[in-house]
Amino acid sequence: MRSDTVKKGLAKAPSRSLLRACGLTDEDMDKPFIGIANSFNNIVPGHIHLDRLVEEVRKGIVEAGGVPFSFGVPAVCDGIAMGHAGMRFSLPSREVIADCVEVMNNAHTFDGWVGVTNCDKVTPGMLMAAGRMNIPAIMLTGGPMEAGSLEGEKKDLQSVFEALGAHNAGNATDEEVLAVECAACPGEGSCSGLFTANTMACLTEAMGMSLTGCATSLATSERKLEIARATGRRIVELVKEGMTPRSMVTRGSFINAITVDMAIGGSTNTALHIPAVASEFGIDIDLKVFDEVSRTVPHLTSLRPGGPYHIADLDRAGGVPAVLKRLRSMLTDQMTVNGNGIYDIADHATIDDPEVLRPLDRPFHKEGGIAVLYGNLAPEGSVVKQSAVSEKMMHFRGRARVFNAEDAAAAAITSKKIVKGDVVIIRYEGPKGGPGMPEMLYPTSMIAGMGLSDDVALITDGRFSGATRGPCIGHVSPEASAGGPIAAVREGDEIVIDIPARRLDVNISDEEMARRLAEPRPSEREVSGMLAKYRKLVTSASLGAVCR
């Protein structure tokens, strides 16, 4: 066993002595050592219950004949970090998490490990570590929050942000905003819509790295505790079977995950995370793959932010196994941590609500949830959640309103300087320019809350929360800070958006574009510490914003 490095032979007496200080016995020295990467904390709602799940994982490991060791991993709540400098640390935390998991597993030579995770950057960070280290691993996602309720209407975090927009437009009182605030997030779990955390949980299950049913089982459910215990047992079995992530997860596994992503209408952030995870598995997945899949896979379930349903509704309809059943003809049969293949999971699934999860011949939209747009404004690509865009805004021409920072754009929106026909350009917010490529739920939700989603578009080299809806195009690459064409846009330029044709253009000549790009750019924001390091190492959003 890998852990024999620290526990076998006379020369390892010092390390065994330290292990005994942790409560280990002679008998334990012959068992597999299993790490548990625990992202529990009491600031992120999706993580406040993870200690309970970790305890069940520990029980499962012991039952299967292993020795559990848990260690902490950081987690950022994007909703709390939103709209201020803290959001610049969110995407970089993905790399920190992957590094933390690698450090702890390799320093202590664990035989296998479990990632107990839930939120936006934690799950992809742990998956990146799994591919990088290639020792037996399994993910346990902590489960979604139940939707809130106010006067018989379901609410979630997106509702709070949009209530602020309605308030700004004079359509909601202070008291009404407070009522939504108090009702939207009723307790533990990742935010209840198909935002980034729940999207990544679904894709983790689809690519075979978590047990069947894990993604959509609610944080508060007994089933989640049962899955946690089973996860602990299964990781010991994976160690004994010698099944590593790279022996299970192939390019086909990632294509399956993207296929599910398109069918459920997942967060645009998957276009950052899936390429980043794939790269750690030694597999190349780029934006073109997302668009190729999107053109062939219909959108089968309409979840928040673009639709009326929540993750709990998808769970009630059968969860990810039911989605796999719908998509079986479009998938390849890949191995999973369960020990069986995707087809077997699909064949044993049931579809319990054919309206929440529609058949292929009656989709909500004929194409998948994400579209990748190219053009003279985004030569390397840009990303939009087309399943959350109204039919009216699928084709749009508007005048550019240009801002070199999110704060300036948000101020213009709240002061009602943005009107119908505008295209808000927010630049110098990319991976290097931000740095950290902050999410921008404040400006997008203000536009939606003010009733302008069918009349105003937003384009950025930054990114959006999974809770964003409307014609919001992010990940514009190359970013402005790297001299991308978005740096050349001027106030009043005509912007042309054609989502069906996958085009994003500014209506100026190539010569004018070159002249403008030759002009000096604004000075970079001064940063220090990890953000300075991140700026030096991070690559383009079109490559997943991985660090090299």
Side-chain angles (χ1 to χ4, degrees), residues 61 100 106 133 140 153 211 241 259 300 307 335 354 381 390 472 488 516 523:
I61 291 169
C100 285
N106 284 341
M133 293 185 296
L140 173 69
E153 184 177 339
L211 293 184
E241 294 165 7
T259 301
L300 301 181
M335 182 55 66
S390 70
C472 300
R516 292 182 184 183
S523 300

Side-chain angles (χ1 to χ4, degrees), residues 153-274:
E153 184 177 339
K154 289 184 177 180
K155 299 292 181 184
D156 53 40
L157 183 64
Q158 177 189 352
S159 308
V160 187
F161 280 95
E162 293 189 3
L164 287 174
H167 181 275
N168 192 68
N171 296 325
T173 64
D174 291 3
E175 292 75 18
E176 287 170 331
V177 173
L178 179 61
V180 176
E181 171 192 330
C182 293
C185 300
E188 61 202 44
S190 50
C191 295
S192 57
L194 189 64
F195 311 148
T196 307
N198 290 326
T199 301
M200 285 306 304
C202 290
L203 302 197
T204 299
E205 185 175 332
M207 67 188 285
M209 282 298 294
S210 62
L211 293 184
T212 299
C214 185
T216 60
S217 55
L218 291 173
T220 53
S221 67
E222 283 297 315
R223 185 157 61 102
K224 181 61 73 178
L225 295 173
E226 293 167 1
I227 291 172
R229 194 140 175 182
T231 296
R233 292 192 295 268
R234 183 59 185 152
I235 185 58
V236 178
E237 294 169 358
L238 289 175
V239 169
K240 292 177 179 178
E241 294 165 7
M243 290 184 66
T244 64
R246 291 194 182 198
S247 70
M248 294 182 290
V249 177
T250 67
R251 181 178 177 82
S253 306
F254 285 104
I255 301 299
N256 283 349
I258 295 170
T259 301
V260 169
D261 189 14
M262 296 305 158
I264 64 178
S267 166
T268 52
N269 282 313
T270 60
L272 290 173
H273 297 325
I274 291 297

Side-chain angles (χ1 to χ4, degrees), residues 11 22 40 49 111 119 182 198 203 224-225 269 276 280 299 303 348 380 410 417 450 463 473 499 514 535:
C22 297
F40 163 81
H49 64 302
D111 298 299
C119 286
C182 293
N198 290 326
L203 302 197
K224 181 61 73 178
L225 295 173
N269 282 313
E280 296 288 4
H299 178 217
L303 307 180
H348 286 87
E380 293 178 4
K417 294 179 181 178
M450 293 169 69
R463 62 193 181 93
I473 301 165
I499 294 175
R535 173 179 277 164

Side-chain angles (χ1 to χ4, degrees), residues 296-461:
T296 60
V297 177
H299 178 217
L300 301 181
T301 184
S302 191
L303 307 180
R304 292 275 284 170
Y309 302 116
H310 289 81
I311 289 291
D313 297 306
L314 179 59
D315 188 58
R316 177 174 48 79
V320 171
V323 178
L324 298 176
K325 192 176 191 72
R326 287 286 197 220
L327 296 172
R328 191 184 189 284
S329 63
M330 297 183 166
L331 303 172
T332 57
D333 194 16
Q334 306 293 325
M335 182 55 66
T336 74
V337 291
N338 299 279
N340 59 348
I342 288 293
Y343 284 175
D344 187 52
I345 294 169
D347 291 344
H348 286 87
T350 59
I351 298 167
D352 298 320
D353 191 327
E355 182 54 34
V356 170
L357 183 58
R358 292 182 178 179
L360 294 175
D361 60 0
R362 192 172 59 88
F364 286 93
H365 301 95
K366 67 178 183 178
E367 291 188 350
I370 292 175
V372 179
L373 314 184
Y374 295 90
N376 72 348
L377 195 50
E380 293 178 4
S382 60
V383 180
V384 63
K385 190 170 186 174
Q386 65 173 340
S387 59
V389 179
S390 70
E391 187 62 33
K392 175 183 176 182
M393 294 298 288
M394 297 296 279
H395 304 84
F396 186 69
R397 289 175 179 261
R399 56 189 171 274
R401 303 296 308 279
V402 182
F403 303 93
N404 289 344
E406 178 191 1
D407 290 349
I413 294 166
T414 55
S415 60
K416 302 180 182 179
K417 294 179 181 178
I418 302 301
V419 298
K420 292 182 178 182
D422 284 347
V423 178
V424 178
I425 306 288
I426 305 178
R427 60 193 183 189
Y428 297 101
E429 296 285 14
K432 289 184 180 292
M437 202 180 184
E439 289 183 346
M440 300 182 192
L441 186 54
Y442 265 110
T444 61
S445 59
M446 291 297 289
I447 288 170
M450 293 169 69
L452 294 174
S453 284
D454 285 349
D455 301 287
V456 171
L458 194 153
I459 298 170
T460 181
D461 54 7

Side-chain angles (χ1 to χ4, degrees), residues 518-539:
E519 296 174 355
R521 295 194 294 274
S523 300
E524 290 185 330
R525 293 183 181 88
E526 291 187 13
V527 292
S528 59
M530 71 159 296
L531 288 181
K533 178 172 67 174
Y534 184 79
R535 173 179 277 164
K536 288 183 179 180
L537 298 177
V538 71
T539 60

